[in-house]
C-alpha cells in the first residue's frame, strides 16, 4: 500500500507539471482554440443531416431491406397532395385540367368522389416526372403553387426539408432561451460577476467546436443535430463550475497563477471521474440496434470530451485573463443555506427509506405499462408544425391512408394478378395497385394478354401489321413454335406489346399514321411511368392501401398474415413489405431487445465507475437504486396519464438520466462519507446538504429547464418526448436525492463501511530534525517551535506520517520562523 500511496504522490506531482504547462502556455492554447473555432464556423455547414428514421433501422430489418431493394429496382417519383379549399366542383375540375397541362406533371388523380372532392375542398394527388430526391421535383411543385396562388392552398409532401428547417428554427429559439437560463443561473449561483464570462466563453468554444466537428461523422441524425448542443450545455457546464469553484478555494491562500495551477491539477482527475458516469450512461445507447442511439451517443460523448478539453486547456488561460476582475467583483452569495433539509432527513431517516422502497416498486409496475408508440401518427406535441397542420386538415376532409408496398419476384403476371385479387378481397385492405390491376385502355388491364386481332382493334392497326408485329415479337422472344402453330391464338401482355411496338417504330421497322402514333405515344408514356414505379429488372412492386392504423397489434398481425398469403404464391422467395406500418413493426421488435440491453449496460457502466470512485460495494448499489427509482417514477407519468410516448425518448432519456443525474447523488454521498466520522451524523448530513445544494441547483436547473423548453417548443414527436421526459426526470432526480438519499445514507452508512474494500494506510514515516518546510496533510509529534497552518515551517524534531504532501529539509541559518514565512509569502506574490 505504501507503494500505491507513493504512486499517488507521483501522479499528483505529474498533474502539477501538466497544469503548470497549460497555465504558462495559455497563449498557445488561445491560438489553437481560435484556429479550431474559425475552422468550425466553416465546417459546421459541411455536415449532412439524415431526416428519415428508417435510415437508422438495422440492415436485418424488413423495412431497411425493402427500401434498399426498391431504391435499386424502381423509380419513386416526387409526389404531393395539394388541397384547395372553398371552391366549387366546377372550379376544382378546371384547376385539375390546368395542373395536368403542366409539362412537369406526369400523373394527376382527381375525380368527383369524396376521396378527391368534399366539403367544398378539392384534393389533387400530383405526380411529377422527376425522382423525389431531384431538385426539379421541388421546382415543379413551386410551379403548381404559383398556378394556384389565388386560392386557399395547402400542400403535403415528403419532398424537401421543410420539416428539418422548422426543427432547426425551433431549436435556435430553444437555444437562445436555454442560454438566457444558463446566464441567469450562473449569475445567481456565482460568487464573483467576472466568473460568468469565463464559464460562458469556455462553453461557447466547446459548443462551436462540437458543431464544427459533426462533419467527421459524415451524416448525423436530425435528432442529434437538434439537441446535442443544448444537452452538451446542460450535461457539461458542471465541469467548468467545479474547476471555477476549486480555483476560488485555492485562491483564498494562493496568488492567481499558483491557485490556477493547483486548482487545475486537482480538477483534472476530479472532473474526469465525474464525466465517466455520464459517458458510461451514453455508451449504453451505442448498444441499441436502432442506429439513432449510436449516432446520438457518439455526438454527445464527443461533445462531453470537447467540453473537458475546453475546461482543461482553455479555461485556465481565461482565469488568468479575468483573475483580477474576479477579485474585484466579489458579491454576496444568493444561494441560501438549507439546514432544514438536513434536519428533516435526520428526523425521517426511519420513515423515508421504506416509503421510497414502496414507491419504486409501485413505479416499476406502473412504468412497465407505459404506452410506447413507434411512429408519429399517435403522438401529440404542444406545438404543431405547418406540415402537421396541413396533414390534419387533409385527414379531416378526406381521411387518412396507410400504404405499404409488397415487393415480389418479377416475371409472372398471372401470380401477381391472383395475389392482388386475394388481397383485395380482405376487409383489412382498402384497395391495391399493381401492373396487373391498373386499367390501360378500353377496359384492358396493363398485363392482360391480347391476340393480334384484339391489339389491332384496340390501337386501330391493320391486322396484317399486327400479325407481323406478333411474328417479330415471337422471334425476339425465341418462341418459334407460335409462328409454326399460327399467330391467331398467340397472346401477349398488352404492356409488353405496346413497349415492343414503340421500340419497333423508333427503330424504323414499323410506320404508323399520325393518329395511331399519337395514341401509341400516350400509351407508351403512361406505361413507362407504371413500369418505372412498379416493375424492376428482378422484382415487381405492388402498392397496398390498408384500412388499419399505421401501428397497433391488429396492424402488426395483418402484416404477418400478408407474408403468409404472398408465400403461397412465391414459396421460395423472400417477400418484403416496406412501408410506414412495417417500419413501426420493426421498431417495435428492436425495442424489445434494446430496452433490456440499454438498461443493463447503463447500470453496469455506472456501477463500474462508482465501484472505483467509492471503493465500496454497497454505495454503488444504493446510488443506482436511487436513480433507477427516479427513472421508474419518471416513466410512470405517461403510463398514468395514458399519454403515448415515442419509444426512442425512453431509451435515450433513461441512459442520460442514469449517467448524468447520478452525479447529484455522488456529490451528496461523497461529502457525507467524508464528514460522518468528523462530527455527529446529524451535523454531517446538515453540512452535506448545505454543501451539495449549490452544485445540484446549478446543474439540475439547467438540465431540467433545457428539457422543459425542448418539450414545450418542439413540434417533432421524438425530440419533444426527449425534452419532456428529460425535464421531468431531472426534477424528480433532484427531489429524490435531496429528500430521500440523505435518509438512506444515514441508515446505510454502516453497510457502506462494511462493504468497503479501500484500505487507508499512511504513505511513509518522516523522521527529521532541524529546520524543515512541511506541506500537506500530516499526523505525528513535533518537538520544537511551530508556525503555520498546513503549509509552514518546523524547527525541532519531527516524527510525521505524511498522508498527502511532502516535507523538505532546509538549511538552518537561525532566521525567525515568522520572518521566513513572510519572505516566502512575498516571493509568491512577486
Amino acid at each position: 500500500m505504501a507503494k500505491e500511496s507513493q504512486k499517488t504522490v507521483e501522479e499528483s506531482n505529474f498533474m502539477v507539471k501538466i497544469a503548470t504547462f497549460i497555465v504558462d502556455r495559455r497563449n498557445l492554447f488561445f491560438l489553437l482554440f481560435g484556429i479550431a473555432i474559425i475552422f468550425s464556423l466553416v465546417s459546421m455547414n459541411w455536415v449532412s443531416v439524415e431526416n428519415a428514421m428508417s435510415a437508422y433501422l438495422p440492415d436485418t430489418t424488413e423495412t431497411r431491406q425493402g427500401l434498399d431493394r426498391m431504391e435499386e429496382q424502381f423509380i419513386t417519383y416526387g409526389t404531393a397532395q395539394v388541397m384547395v379549399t372553398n371552391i366549387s366542383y366546377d372550379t376544382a375540375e378546371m384547376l385539375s385540367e390546368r395542373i395536368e397541362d403542366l409539362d412537369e406533371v406526369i400523373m394527376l388523380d382527381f375525380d368527383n368522389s369524396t376521396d378527391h372532392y368534399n366539403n367544398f375542398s378539392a384534393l389533387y394527388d400530383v405526380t411529377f416526372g422527376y425522382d423525389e430526391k431531384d431538385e426539379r421535383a421541388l421546382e415543379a411543385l413551386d410551379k403548381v403553387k404559383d398556378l394556384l396562388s389565388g386560392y386557399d392552398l395547402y400542400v403535403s409532401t415528403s419532398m424537401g426539408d421543410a420539416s428539418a428547417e422548422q426543427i432547426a428554427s425551433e431549436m435556435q429559439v430553444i437555444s437562445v432561451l436555454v442560454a438566457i437560463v444558463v446566464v441567469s443561473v450562473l449569475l445567481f449561483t456565482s460568487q464573483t460577476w467576472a466568473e460568468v464570462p469565463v464559464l460562458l466563453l469556455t462553453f461557447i468554444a466547446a459548443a462551436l467546436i462540437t458543431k464544427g466537428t459533426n462533419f467527421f461523422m459524415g451524416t448525423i441524425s436530425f435528432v442529434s443535430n437538434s439537441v446535442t448542443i443544448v444537452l452538451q450545455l446542460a450535461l457539461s457546464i458542471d465541469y467548468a463550475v467545479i474547476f471555477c469553484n476549486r480555483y476560488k478555494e485555492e485562491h483564498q491562500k494562493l496568488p492567481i497563477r499558483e491557485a490556477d495551477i493547483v486548482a487545475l491539477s486537482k480538477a483534472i482527475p476530479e472532473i474526469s471521474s465525474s464525466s465517466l458516469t455520464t459517458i458510461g450512461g451514453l455508451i449504453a445507447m451505442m448498444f441499441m440496434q436502432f442506429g439513432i442511439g449510436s449516432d446520438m451517443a457518439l455526438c454527445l460523448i464527443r461533445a462531453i470530451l470537447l467540453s473537458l478539453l475546453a475546461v482543461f486547456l482553455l479555461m485556465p488561460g481565461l482565469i488568468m485573463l479575468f483573475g483580477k476582475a474576479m477579485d474585484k467583483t466579489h458579491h454576496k452569495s444568493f444561494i441560501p443555506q438549507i439546514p432544514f433539509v438536513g434536519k428533516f432527513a435526520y428526523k425521517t431517516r426511519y420513515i423515508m427509506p421504506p416509503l421510497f422502497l414502496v414507491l419504486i416498486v409501485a413505479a416499476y409496475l406502473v412504468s412497465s405499462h407505459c404506452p410506447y408508440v413507434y411512429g408519429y401518427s399517435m403522438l401529440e406535441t404542444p406545438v404543431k408544425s405547418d406540415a402537421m397542420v396541413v396533414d390534419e386538415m387533409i385527414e379531416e376532409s378526406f381521411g387518412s391512408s396507410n400504404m405499404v408496398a409488397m415487393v415480389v419476384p418479377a416475371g409472372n403476371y398471372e401470380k401477381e394478378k391472383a395475389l392482388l385479387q386475394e388481397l383485395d378481397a380482405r376487409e383489412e385492405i382498402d384497395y391495391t395497385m399493381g401492373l396487373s390491376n391498373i386499367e390501360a385502355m378500353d377496359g384492358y388491364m396493363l398485363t392482360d394478354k391480347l391476340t393480334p386481332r384484339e391489339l389491332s382493334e384496340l390501337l386501330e392497326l391493320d391486322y396484317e401489321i399486327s400479325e407481323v408485329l406478333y411474328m417479330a415479337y415471337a422471334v425476339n422472344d425465341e418462341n418459334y413454335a407460335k409462328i409454326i402453330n399460327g399467330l391467331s391464338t398467340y397472346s401477349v401482355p398488352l404492356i409488353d406489346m405496346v413497349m415492343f411496338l414503340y421500340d419497333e417504330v423508333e427503330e424504323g421497322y414499323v410506320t404508323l399514321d399520325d393518329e395511331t402514333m399519337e395514341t401509341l405515344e400516350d400509351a407508351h408514356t403512361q406505361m413507362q411511368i407504371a413500369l418505372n414505379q412498379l416493375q424492376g429488372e428482378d422484382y415487381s412492386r405492388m402498392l397496398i392501401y390498408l384500412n388499419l392504423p399505421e401501428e397497433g397489434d391488429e396492424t402488426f398481425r395483418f402484416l404477418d398474415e400478408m407474408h403468409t398469403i404472398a408465400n403461397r404464391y412465391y414459396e421460395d422467395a423472400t417477400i418484403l413489405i416496406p412501408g410506414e406500418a412495417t417500419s413501426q413493426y420493426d421498431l417495435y421488435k428492436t425495442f424489445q431487445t434494446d430496452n433490456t440491453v440499454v438498461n443493463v449496460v447503463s447500470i453496469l457502466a455506472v456501477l463500474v465507475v462508482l465501484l472505483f470512485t467509492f471503493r465500496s460495494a454497497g454505495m454503488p448499489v444504493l446510488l443506482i437504486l436511487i436513480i433507477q427509482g427516479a427513472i421508474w417514477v419518471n416513466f410512470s407519468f405517461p403510463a398514468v396519464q395514458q399519454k403515448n410516448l415515442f419509444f426512442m425518448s425512453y431509451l435515450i432519456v433513461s441512459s442520460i438520466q442514469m449517467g448524468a443525474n447520478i452525479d447529484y447523488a455522488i456529490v451528496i454521498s461523497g461529502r457525507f462519507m467524508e464528514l460522518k466520522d468528523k462530527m455527529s451524523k446529524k451535523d454531517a448530513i446538515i453540512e452535506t446538504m448545505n454543501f451539495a445544494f449549490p452544485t445540484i441547483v446549478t446543474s439540475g436547473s439547467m438540465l431540467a429547464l433545457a428539457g422543459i423548453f425542448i418539450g414545450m417548443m418542439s413540434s417533432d414527436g421524438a425530440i419533444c418526448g426527449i425534452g419532456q421526459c428529460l425535464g421531468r426526470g431531472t426534477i424528480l432526480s433532484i427531489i429524490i436525492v435531496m429528500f430521500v438519499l440523505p435518509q438512506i445514507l444515514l441508515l446505510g452508512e454502516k453497510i457502506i463501511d462494511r462493504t468497503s474494500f479501500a484500505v487507508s494506510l499512511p504513505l511513509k514515516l518522516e523522521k527529521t530534525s532541524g529546520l524543515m518546510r512541511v506541506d500537506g496533510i500530516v499526523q505525528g509529534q513535533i518537538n520544537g517551535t511551530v508556525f503555520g497552518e498546513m503549509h509552514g515551517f518546523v524547527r525541532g524534531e519531527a516524527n510525521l506520517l505524511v498522508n498527502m504532501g511532502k516535507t523538505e529539509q532546509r538549511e538552518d541559518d537561525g532566521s525567525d520562523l515568522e520572518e521566513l514565512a513572510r519572505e516566502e509569502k512575498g516571493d509568491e506574490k512577486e
Side-chain angles (χ1 to χ4, degrees), residues 426-633:
R426 295 299 299 256
E427 62 180 13
E428 295 93 344
I429 293 177
D430 186 10
Y431 65 96
T432 63
M433 183 184 299
L435 289 179
S436 300
N437 65 359
I438 295 178
E439 184 176 347
M441 305 168 67
D442 294 347
Y444 286 109
M445 302 300 170
L446 285 173
T447 60
D448 284 351
K449 291 185 174 182
L450 277 66
T451 62
R453 174 70 65 187
E454 290 169 331
L455 181 68
S456 68
E457 293 174 353
L458 179 65
L459 298 181
E460 298 182 356
L461 285 173
D462 289 338
Y463 180 70
E464 291 77 10
I465 295 177
S466 182
E467 276 194 321
V468 171
L469 182 65
Y470 270 71
M471 185 181 298
Y473 186 90
V475 171
N476 186 69
D477 200 35
E478 298 183 356
N479 194 348
Y480 303 111
K482 292 294 183 182
I483 300 175
I484 297 171
N485 297 328
L487 296 171
S488 60
T489 58
Y490 184 23
S491 59
V492 177
L494 171 60
I495 190 170
D496 291 347
M497 187 53 68
V498 169
M499 302 305 288
F500 181 74
L501 173 59
Y502 185 84
D503 290 340
E504 295 294 293
V505 171
E506 286 289 294
E507 293 176 10
Y509 298 126
V510 177
T511 303
L512 302 176
D513 60 65
D514 292 344
E515 185 176 348
T516 305
M517 189 63 199
E518 183 178 352
T519 302
L520 177 63
E521 287 180 342
D522 289 343
H524 174 269
T525 299
Q526 295 303 315
M527 290 181 185
Q528 186 62 58
I529 292 170
L531 283 172
N532 290 341
Q533 295 184 89
L534 301 175
Q535 183 170 289
E537 185 175 343
D538 303 307
Y539 297 94
S540 292
R541 174 166 63 175
M542 309 171 190
L543 305 182
I544 302 166
Y545 293 82
L546 304 176
N547 290 320
L548 298 170
E550 287 186 351
E551 68 175 281
D553 291 340
E554 184 182 5
T555 303
F556 296 159
R557 280 195 300 270
F558 187 67
L559 289 173
D560 289 335
E561 192 170 347
M562 286 173 64
H563 278 284
T564 302
I565 294 171
N567 285 330
R568 289 205 293 267
Y569 295 89
Y570 301 92
E571 295 179 3
D572 299 325
T574 301
I575 308 300
L576 298 175
I577 309 178
E580 191 62 38
T582 307
S583 173
Q584 293 173 29
Y585 191 19
D586 286 334
L587 291 173
Y588 164 78
K589 287 184 282 190
T590 61
F591 177 66
Q592 308 310 305
T593 302
D594 285 348
N595 185 21
T596 302
V597 170
V598 168
N599 284 331
V600 171
V601 174
S602 63
I603 289 173
L604 288 178
V606 173
L607 180 64
V608 170
V609 174
L610 294 179
L611 277 173
F612 285 96
T613 299
F614 289 100
R615 297 181 182 179
S616 166
M619 180 66 85
V621 173
L622 288 178
L623 299 190
I624 288 175
L625 182 65
I626 286 288
I627 300 303
Q628 185 60 56
I631 292 173
W632 287 331
V633 174

Side-chain angles (χ1 to χ4, degrees), residues 239 271-283 304 602 605-610 613-614 655-664 666:
Y239 310 146
I271 294 172
S272 298
S273 298
S274 175
S275 68
L276 288 178
T277 54
T278 304
I279 292 174
L282 295 174
I283 285 175
I304 288 172
S602 63
V606 173
L607 180 64
V608 170
V609 174
L610 294 179
T613 299
F614 289 100
S655 297
I656 293 176
Q657 193 173 347
M658 175 58 73
N661 291 175
I662 203 164
D663 282 348
Y664 312 151
I666 291 173

Side-chain angles (χ1 to χ4, degrees), residues 95-102 105 108 124 126 144 147-148:
L95 293 177
S96 169
E97 294 172 359
R98 289 186 182 180
I99 296 171
E100 200 166 16
D101 287 341
L102 292 175
V105 175
L108 178 70
Y124 306 103
V126 186
V144 173
L147 180 67
L148 304 175

